[in-house]
Amino acid sequence: MQTIETPLLPKANKSMDDIETKVDELLSKMSLEEKVGQMRIVHAQIGVELGEDGQLVLSDHFKEQVKHGIAGIKNPGEHDSPETAARINNLLQKYLVENSLHGIPGMFVTESYNGVDATGTTDFSRPINMAASWNPELVQQVWDKVGREARARGMHMCHSPEADLIRDPRFGRMSEAFGEDTHLVKEMVVAAVKGVQGDYEGLSSTHIGAVTKHFAGYGQVEGGRNFASVQISERDLIDQILPPFKAAVQEAKTLGIMASHGDLNGIACHANKDLLTGILRDEWGFNGYTVSDANDIGRLFFFMNVAENEDHAALLGLEAGMNVDLYNEDCYVRLPRLARENPSLIPLIDKAAGNVLRTKFILGLFDNPYTDEAAASLISRAEDSLELALELDLDSLILLKNENNTLPISSTKPQKIALVGPLLKENTLSQFQEVAGESIEFLAEKGFALTNGDPNYPDLLTADECAPGMEKAVAAAAEADACILFVGGDEFTSKEAFFAFAIGDRASIDPVGEQVELFKRIKNLGKPVIVVLKHRRTLSINAFAADADAILDAWDPGEQGDRAIAMTLFGQSVPSGKLPATLPRTIGQLPFHYSQKKINYKKGYMFIENGPLYPFGYGLSYSSFEYANLTLSASEIDTEQSLTASITLSNTGKFTAKETVQLYIQDTHGSVIRPAKELKAFAKVQLEAGESQIVTFEITPEMLACTGADMVRKVEPGTFVVQIGGSSEDTMNASFLVK
């Protein structure tokens, strides 16, 4: 078996001036076909595998697609072990380099929603869980591990993280993003990009580049439906949607940006020059590469109908500033011919290809295109990565209800506990047994599944189909002293709705199937019922909220999730998660993010209790916290000044615990109608029982600014209210004047 020599020492980062010189020199030698080759990414599924003899096997179709070079390959070795993937990627890279006239390597690209999307890597929780932790430092550590595991198996970029705001839980991709709030999403995205890129310093050797997506506004698709249109005012786009992307570019230095599947008020994002060039490059100074979402340049023609044919679609994308065509074999492959017919396109092609080549130099691929095959298995799933996965799961669990101090459960008192419900996993019982010890006897009975398990078009199981399992689950609960009920949703009830096949969005946010009926039957037994929610979208859980003795919201945790849940239920960890999205009572209340315009709260609805079931930022603890002495450093400032806000936080309970102190700003009057309040800062603080700490925030002019009636973003004079507390609805308030 052939072994490719791979240097183990990282290469020093080249200066950007040196890199620009090398890019220009390389472009001057390349043909049009070779430049356009650097503007395309193909998927390894079209023909990359390892033969039984350990040698690379490539299909003729794959060879044809990369014969002039290629920007990158998506997911090579994704179903193989880290060491095997490293070998495949080394051999694949060797083929690309040796078959390129100029020795140009390829970038190998993965996804990273909950760790590297590949076999043999650490399974972390989803981004929505990360947001629920309200712990950017921990999130950066997690993405640091993701970057290291990906680079070890020979990957160089990931189409992650998402900087979208998700405010409609009908949308099946809710768990891929960091929630509803601009500031929380911004902090999480910056942490993710910095982590996966090794704070930029690791890009040449140990980490991979981030492709932040979907630029911009994709989470605002109408009706919560994938590929639907997006209607966002220019003001809301500037003030709410763009800041996480801007921070990814300017603070975290993301190497890539992926455009949105959608449009912005009728202008397709993949053909939006104002967005991709004007805002992204001219205003923000982005010098990485832009990449289409899957096949979306072609969809300018055959789906969105803003291009007359594939030639026109390719021109629209190129002229707008779209550098790389992902997957589609019908659009950018036309550019060499189009450029010969119209030489004015060549500078645009040079710029796009140059952006990709610059990224490859930053990644150190020209110096060392290979990875250390022996190290791949040592880095992947290392012990500290597994420990970090558990820490993240523990930090993200949200205690929504704890009637009569039902939790934590005593592990010293002998008792029998039933673990039941459709979200029970195969290893749930064993993980609970390991945590709880010998005093607790567990009965495990899943009862029934939610759907038939079809990954593309799942059907809900009927009441008749669920009935036998329902009886088993209720019988197990009847035999126990208490019941822990695992309900919510799974990978079949909330998911991506792919373009040509599959659905993933829902018209309702009620718990699906027979879950509420199962809860009611178990509750009628008169035993304590602890609900554990596992889900990928916000659910209207009115029945559970009304009658459960306790509710622990776990969202979609990683491989250590059930262990973390058990540790929390049995008091080995104190819950500290906070809601990253408002929890409505019904879908009819949408839109329902907490930071809507103030006038939206004038009227409620008939026949329901108004307000959220649980507000944004909400989360209980086994301990208790008291806020006191809110103090501002000034009562008046001018538009260019900052001030500080301080509050005394005291742990008045019996447990060492963490509390997330949240700072909101309300602009009482403006030239435009302002949000009811906006999160501007937060701090996660750990205190011993009886301990107090003064928490101080700086309030800067940027935190007070908005885009006014004249479409200029600035601080407008007037009164501002500072609100600090444990959720968006539980705060102490103080005001100051901006002169």
Side-chain angles (χ1 to χ4, degrees):
M1 181 180 295
Q2 179 186 13
T3 300
I4 295 175
E5 297 295 331
T6 57
L8 301 182
L9 295 176
K11 297 287 184 179
N13 283 329
K14 299 288 192 299
S15 72
M16 288 308 299
D17 288 343
D18 186 33
I19 288 177
E20 294 302 327
T21 299
K22 289 180 179 295
V23 169
D24 291 342
E25 289 176 352
L26 189 52
L27 283 172
S28 70
K29 302 174 184 176
M30 296 169 68
S31 67
L32 267 174
E33 283 77 9
E34 288 170 327
K35 293 173 183 177
V36 172
Q38 298 303 309
M39 298 170 62
R40 299 180 59 240
I41 291 177
V42 298
H43 203 290
Q45 288 178 347
I46 67 173
V48 177
E49 59 183 327
L50 199 64
E52 293 183 359
D53 60 353
Q55 298 303 309
L56 192 65
V57 178
L58 302 177
S59 69
D60 291 339
H61 181 54
F62 178 86
K63 292 177 181 178
E64 177 66 23
Q65 292 302 310
V66 303
K67 67 180 181 180
H68 297 298
I70 199 75
I73 314 294
K74 185 73 179 288
N75 288 346
E78 63 179 322
H79 300 303
D80 297 285
S81 69
E83 190 169 354
T84 301
R87 173 158 182 77
I88 290 172
N89 291 331
N90 277 342
L91 292 172
L92 179 59
Q93 191 72 278
K94 186 172 186 288
Y95 177 87
L96 295 176
V97 170
E98 291 183 351
N99 286 273
S100 165
L101 180 62
H102 309 290
I104 301 175
M107 297 184 297
F108 301 152
V109 188
T110 183
E111 305 268 1
S112 300
Y113 291 123
N114 51 326
V116 185
D117 187 17
T119 299
T121 58
T122 306
D123 181 13
F124 294 101
S125 61
R126 288 216 149 199
I128 197 72
N129 287 69
M130 299 180 190
S133 78
W134 291 63
N135 192 338
E137 294 80 10
L138 178 59
V139 170
Q140 183 167 338
Q141 292 175 44
V142 168
W143 283 80
D144 174 86
K145 295 298 184 185
V146 172
R148 292 178 186 276
E149 290 193 6
R151 192 64 178 250
R153 63 190 295 130
M155 309 306 289
H156 310 112
M157 300 291 298
C158 64
H159 288 164
S160 309
E162 288 192 16
D164 300 314
L165 306 187
I166 306 298
R167 293 173 168 175
D168 190 333
R170 292 174 294 183
F171 189 48
R173 303 183 69 176
M174 184 175 189
S175 68
E176 298 175 17
F178 295 107
E180 73 178 41
D181 178 72
T182 299
H183 181 71
L184 180 61
V185 170
K186 184 190 78 170
E187 292 295 305
M188 293 294 158
V189 166
V190 168
V193 174
K194 284 187 173 182
V196 82
Q197 294 192 163
D199 214 2
Y200 203 82
E201 295 300 317
L203 286 171
S204 64
S205 55
T206 55
H207 290 73
I208 64 172
V211 178
T212 305
K213 62 185 186 184
H214 305 85
F215 191 58
Y218 190 52
Q220 276 60 58
V221 284
E222 291 193 301
R225 292 167 295 178
N226 269 274
F227 302 101
S229 63
V230 174
Q231 301 295 325
I232 304 173
S233 73
E234 185 179 359
R235 180 171 291 103
D236 287 346
L237 180 70
I238 295 169
D239 287 350
Q240 300 180 41
I241 306 301
L242 293 182
F245 290 97
K246 184 178 181 181
V249 170
Q250 295 187 338
E251 295 180 36
K253 301 180 182 178
T254 184
L255 286 193
I257 289 285
M258 177 180 282
S260 166
H261 276 306
D263 68 311
L264 285 174
N265 302 320
I267 306 300
C269 288
H270 283 71
N272 192 330
K273 186 174 182 178
D274 288 340
L275 181 71
L276 298 175
T277 300
I279 293 175
L280 183 60
R281 296 196 185 275
D282 297 343
E283 290 185 25
W284 296 351
F286 177 66
N287 71 344
Y289 71 91
T290 55
V291 58
S292 75
D293 209 333
N295 303 302
D296 273 356
I297 295 177
R299 288 173 187 156
L300 294 174
F301 162 54
F302 67 80
F303 178 56
M304 291 189 163
N305 303 120
V306 295
E308 297 179 358
N309 49 43
E310 287 92 343
D311 283 6
H312 190 198
L315 293 174
L316 286 178
L318 178 67
E319 292 168 354
M322 183 53 57
N323 299 155
V324 177
D325 187 359
L326 180 66
Y327 300 156
N328 196 283
E329 299 176 11
D330 298 322
C331 284
Y332 274 14
V333 291
R334 300 164 179 264
L335 287 178
R337 172 178 57 80
L338 293 172
R340 290 188 176 95
E341 295 171 357
N342 181 6
S344 67
L345 298 177
I346 294 176
L348 297 177
I349 291 173
D350 285 350
K351 184 175 294 185
N355 289 336
V356 174
L357 292 172
R358 181 188 306 111
T359 303
K360 291 182 177 183
F361 277 110
I362 292 171
L363 289 167
L365 297 185
F366 285 91
D367 292 328
N368 180 15
Y370 306 114
T371 190
D372 181 3
E373 296 172 19
S377 60
L378 300 177
I379 293 174
S380 297
R381 296 185 58 76
E383 188 63 33
D384 58 349
S385 296
L386 300 178
E387 291 172 356
L388 199 60
L390 176 60
E391 183 180 355
L392 176 60
D393 283 336
L394 289 169
D395 233 36
S396 68
L397 295 174
I398 309 165
L399 184 62
L400 294 179
K401 183 179 181 182
N402 193 18
E403 198 82 10
N404 299 318
N405 293 320
T406 299
L407 299 176
I409 304 168
S410 172
S411 59
T412 60
K413 173 186 173 183
Q415 56 184 311
K416 186 181 294 185
I417 296 178
L419 306 175
V420 302
L423 272 295
L424 201 68
K425 297 172 66 175
E426 290 184 4
N427 63 348
T428 303
L429 175 60
S430 62
Q431 292 196 1
F432 266 71
Q433 288 172 330
E434 291 172 7
V435 169
E438 298 180 355
S439 295
I440 307 297
E441 179 183 351
F442 291 105
L443 304 172
E445 179 55 64
K446 180 173 182 174
F448 52 85
L450 299 178
T451 72
N452 63 356
D454 186 317
N456 298 320
Y457 297 95
D459 287 327
L460 291 176
L461 297 186
T462 65
D464 288 343
E465 290 172 317
C466 293
M470 175 87 72
E471 296 302 326
K472 292 180 181 179
V474 174
E479 191 178 337
D481 300 306
C483 177
I484 300 175
L485 178 61
F486 292 78
V487 289
D490 58 19
E491 69 273 23
F492 302 108
T493 63
S494 181
K495 58 191 180 68
E496 184 174 358
F498 300 111
F499 184 81
F501 62 92
I503 53 176
D505 312 311
R506 286 186 59 205
S508 168
I509 59 172
D510 294 336
V512 299
E514 298 299 298
Q515 296 183 93
V516 173
E517 178 63 23
L518 174 62
F519 168 72
K520 290 179 177 179
R521 289 189 58 180
I522 292 177
K523 183 63 181 177
N524 286 339
L525 296 173
K527 313 286 181 70
V529 180
I530 299 160
V531 169
V532 174
L533 292 172
K534 289 184 174 182
H535 54 119
R536 290 186 173 185
R537 57 158 48 91
T538 296
L539 297 172
S540 50
I541 56 168
N542 301 286
F544 305 143
D547 295 324
D549 294 276
I551 303 175
L552 188 68
D553 189 353
W555 279 96
D556 190 22
E559 62 181 274
Q560 304 280 354
D562 283 343
R563 185 180 306 279
I565 291 167
M567 291 174 65
T568 301
L569 295 180
F570 285 96
Q572 298 175 20
S573 177
V574 177
S576 64
K578 300 279 188 175
L579 284 174
T582 305
L583 206 164
R585 300 174 187 279
T586 170
I587 196 172
Q589 292 177 299
L590 299 181
F592 210 58
H593 53 282
Y594 83 95
S595 56
Q596 296 178 79
K597 292 180 175 64
K598 287 184 285 189
I599 59 174
N600 289 15
Y601 295 98
K602 172 65 175 175
K603 295 290 184 179
Y605 294 95
M606 296 173 67
F607 315 128
I608 69 165
E609 183 177 349
N610 287 309
L613 188 59
Y614 296 105
F616 174 81
Y618 177 85
L620 301 174
S621 172
Y622 293 156
S623 200
S624 55
F625 293 94
E626 181 180 277
Y627 289 77
N629 305 322
L630 174 57
T631 304
L632 304 183
S633 63
S635 59
E636 293 185 3
I637 59 172
D638 64 36
T639 56
E640 297 180 355
Q641 286 182 306
S642 298
L643 75 158
T644 60
S646 300
I647 197 162
T648 301
L649 177 69
S650 300
N651 183 345
T652 56
K654 299 178 180 179
F655 296 81
T656 297
K658 300 174 185 176
E659 169 71 343
T660 299
V661 183
Q662 303 161 42
L663 181 145
Y664 298 85
I665 297 289
Q666 181 187 59
D667 183 357
T668 62
H669 295 82
S671 64
V672 295
I673 299 172
R674 301 289 289 123
K677 62 181 66 178
E678 295 175 291
L679 179 73
K680 294 298 182 180
F682 58 89
K684 194 159 191 173
V685 180
Q686 179 169 299
L687 296 177
E688 303 286 336
E691 183 182 2
S692 297
Q693 181 175 322
I694 296 175
V695 180
T696 300
F697 299 99
E698 182 183 15
I699 300 174
T700 65
E702 175 57 29
M703 293 163 68
L704 306 177
C706 72
T707 302
D710 56 3
M711 292 308 297
V712 176
R713 184 168 173 82
K714 59 182 179 296
V715 180
E716 296 184 334
T719 300
F720 291 80
V721 179
V722 178
Q723 304 179 350
I724 299 180
S727 79
S728 58
E729 289 195 353
D730 183 14
T731 61
M732 297 187 70
N733 301 342
S735 62
F736 64 94
L737 180 67
V738 175
K739 296 183 295 185

